[in-house]
Amino acid sequence: MKKHCFFILILVLISCQNDDYIPINSEIDQNQSKMNPNGGGGLDKQLLKALENVSNGIGASYFILPNSNDYSSIPQDPLNPITQSKVDLGKLLFHETATGGNPKIASMKDTYSCASCHHAAAGFSAGIRQGIGESGLGFGINGSARIINPSVPLDSVDIQPIRSPTILNVAYQDIMLWNGQFGGSATNAGTEANWANIPENFLGFEGVEVQAIKGQGVHRLLIDDNFVNIFGYKQMFDNAFPNIAENQRYSTQNAALAIAAYERTVLPNQSPWQEWLKGDSNALTKEEKRGAKVFFGKGKCYECHTGPSLSDKNFYSFGMGDFDNTNEAIVLGNVNFDNVKKGRGGFTNNVADNYKFKTPTLYNLIDNGFYGHGGTFTSVKEVIDYKNNGNPQSAEVPIENLALQFGNINLTKKEIDNLTLFIENGLRDPNLTRYTPVVVNSGFCFPNNDPVSRVDLGCD
């Protein structure tokens, strides 16, 4: 018998007794009331009703993402308040290939960045099944042509044993990675015994900040006094961290806090779905609206994919496959792959958590091309068919650990087609390049700066 998933929606409702009180979302609600029902008996009204049903009566406003410069509305770490100066600095550091300053192979210096595996062209994921940092070669159109440099030893390549997740909507996560191991508060409370290899968690930061700190070491980045002075970032650090003593200001931690502040503002708030939520009835097609009805109804997608980011921060097992040692994926020998495959359980050492992975956001999926923590699917429709049919890819996952929804939604072909259209088109923000800089301070090519990427990206 499959284990039931329990979903807890924590809603804070504020009431006011004054007669002249005007709700914050009154303008949004008025726009929605003016929506013109499109065909099929009023799809807009039906969808709005579905949203009320799955949001404890809050309705469409529960799913709206804030503007990227509305810092007071963006979830943030209390220890790292978002400021414009931090965001400006973090945006450059995230894309700056001069941060690739601690490679295993000297000739690879200054050729990679955070954005090598999280770039706008692929919806801020990698665009390939397995992201490649140091010792990667090429970019192509959306990162899909990046390969391992054949002239370097394989054990020198920065390549991870699990698919690179997007940074879209990370503001709505207090823990990071597929197994949620990064983050020293909230969701990870009680897991302190498992932080021996993650001392950064003890700093008390949330996951976005911890990953930005830890990731600099893992991915061989180097941001220090020399970097700051050589590449002209001193004034930006001074602006972002004026209350930090100058002899401690130009540090890995402060660089990470700036990167994390920027990442929290990377929100797909110009997607058709977001425009529809804000009152534009024509932002979605009839088929996409029908797909949204499946999403928030029969398909039960909302039970894991909820809130503005369409992610509940929880962990579930759908029996999806992992990386393997083939031409499509490589697992290096120094990786404890059994733990990686166990997902959350590999971190918590709780057998009930085994093979469960964090709910991903669903925005801009179509830009990446690989799905599941092991990248074992190559289309959105393939994933929906898989969940509908309920035949697990991995033989290692116990039946009792599988999510209740797996194989129990019984969607028709037409429902699957419409749901696919909603996810692929309705949830795709077409303008993510607004989150990328025009140039970085070094003047280097980005997100990659190797010889082939420079040609692909038009830098040479």
Side-chain angles (χ1 to χ4, degrees):
M1 180 178 180
K2 298 178 181 178
K3 182 175 179 179
H4 289 260
C5 297
F6 294 91
F7 303 90
I8 301 175
L9 184 61
I10 303 175
L11 305 172
V12 180
L13 303 176
I14 303 176
S15 62
C16 181
Q17 311 233 343
N18 296 334
D19 292 337
D20 59 350
Y21 172 72
I22 300 174
I24 292 175
N25 291 312
S26 60
E27 183 177 347
I28 292 171
D29 294 339
Q30 289 171 13
N31 289 338
Q32 288 161 352
S33 69
K34 296 175 183 177
M35 281 185 173
N36 294 320
N38 286 344
L43 283 172
D44 291 301
K45 289 183 178 178
Q46 294 171 30
L47 184 49
L48 286 170
K49 182 62 176 177
L51 296 182
E52 287 184 13
N53 291 339
V54 301
S55 63
N56 201 28
I58 294 178
S61 61
Y62 179 67
F63 299 93
I64 294 177
L65 289 163
N67 291 330
S68 299
N69 60 357
D70 183 6
Y71 300 152
S72 64
S73 298
I74 298 174
Q76 51 193 291
D77 189 331
L79 299 181
N80 184 34
I82 300 174
T83 66
Q84 188 63 53
S85 295
K86 285 182 188 175
V87 173
D88 292 343
L89 173 59
K91 181 177 183 178
L92 292 180
L93 294 180
F94 185 88
H95 293 88
E96 175 64 84
T97 43
T99 61
N102 192 30
K104 285 190 175 182
I105 298 177
S107 61
M108 302 297 156
K109 189 174 185 292
D110 301 334
T111 64
Y112 53 93
S113 67
C114 298
S116 292
C117 295
H118 307 280
H119 53 81
F124 281 99
S125 189
I128 50 179
R129 184 180 181 191
Q130 194 169 16
I132 307 170
E134 182 194 345
S135 296
L137 199 63
F139 186 79
I141 302 300
N142 68 340
S144 60
R146 190 162 176 79
I147 62 171
I148 294 173
N149 189 325
S151 68
V152 305
L154 193 58
D155 62 3
S156 294
V157 181
D158 177 21
I159 190 166
Q160 303 302 304
I162 200 163
R163 186 174 67 81
S164 301
T166 180
I167 67 161
L168 291 175
N169 294 325
V170 294
Y172 290 87
Q173 305 174 27
D174 65 342
I175 52 176
M176 290 288 279
L177 300 188
W178 285 102
N179 66 1
Q181 70 179 24
F182 288 164
S185 62
T187 302
N188 273 346
T191 64
E192 290 82 358
N194 304 308
W195 295 1
N197 295 321
I198 318 170
E200 295 82 0
N201 275 358
F202 289 104
L203 297 173
F205 291 112
E206 292 186 358
V208 184
E209 283 71 19
V210 171
Q211 183 178 29
I213 299 170
K214 189 77 171 177
Q216 290 179 63
V218 171
H219 299 296
R220 308 163 197 174
L221 306 175
L222 182 61
I223 303 174
D224 58 10
D225 286 350
N226 287 335
F227 166 88
V228 168
N229 289 309
I230 291 172
F231 296 107
Y233 283 98
K234 184 178 185 299
Q235 187 60 58
M236 296 190 77
F237 268 86
D238 292 343
N239 294 342
F241 301 101
N243 298 322
I244 303 296
E246 191 169 358
N247 64 351
Q248 301 175 19
R249 188 175 297 162
Y250 317 111
S251 66
T252 293
Q253 179 168 310
N254 288 336
L257 297 183
I259 290 171
Y262 157 73
E263 289 181 320
R264 287 177 180 273
T265 69
V266 182
L267 303 169
N269 47 31
Q270 293 183 13
S271 64
W273 171 239
Q274 287 293 313
E275 298 301 325
W276 183 91
L277 288 169
K278 288 177 280 192
D280 182 357
S281 175
N282 296 318
L284 296 175
T285 67
K286 292 179 183 179
E287 290 76 17
E288 290 161 3
K289 291 174 187 177
R290 292 185 180 117
K293 280 182 58 184
V294 174
F295 189 101
F296 293 101
K298 181 180 176 181
K300 301 181 181 179
C301 308
Y302 67 89
E303 292 185 354
C304 301
H305 300 283
T306 188
S309 69
L310 296 180
S311 173
D312 65 353
K313 299 190 301 183
N314 215 326
F315 300 83
Y316 306 96
S317 174
F318 285 92
M320 294 179 178
D322 307 287
F323 282 171
D324 49 22
N325 283 298
T326 67
N327 291 331
E328 289 78 32
I330 294 170
V331 178
L332 299 179
N334 62 349
V335 171
N336 185 344
F337 198 43
D338 284 338
N339 263 16
V340 172
K341 290 190 291 185
K342 287 179 180 177
R344 183 66 170 171
F347 167 60
T348 65
N349 296 315
N350 182 348
V351 294
D353 292 335
N354 282 350
Y355 308 103
K356 294 182 179 181
F357 296 85
K358 190 174 62 179
T359 304
T361 187
L362 299 181
Y363 284 89
N364 287 75
L365 286 184
I366 192 66
D367 291 338
N368 184 41
F370 292 88
Y371 312 101
H373 65 273
T376 48
F377 302 91
T378 55
S379 76
V380 172
K381 185 176 183 296
E382 190 180 359
V383 177
I384 296 171
D385 282 334
Y386 171 78
K387 291 185 176 180
N388 194 49
N389 295 332
N391 298 315
Q393 287 182 331
S394 173
E396 297 182 56
V397 182
I399 292 177
E400 60 269 19
N401 280 34
L402 291 170
L404 175 65
Q405 298 86 350
F406 188 51
N408 285 341
I409 48 179
N410 300 314
L411 300 180
T412 66
K413 180 182 183 302
K414 190 63 175 176
E415 288 169 335
I416 290 173
D417 289 344
N418 288 336
L419 179 56
T420 301
L421 288 172
F422 170 65
I423 294 173
E424 288 186 344
N425 302 328
L427 297 181
R428 182 180 185 270
D429 185 320
N431 187 30
L432 294 183
T433 54
R434 67 188 183 276
Y435 296 116
T436 63
V438 176
V439 295
V440 290
N441 281 13
S442 67
F444 293 162
C445 196
F446 68 89
N448 309 320
N449 192 38
D450 59 88
V452 178
S453 290
R454 287 199 299 270
V455 174
D456 291 347
L457 292 162
C459 298
D460 285 351

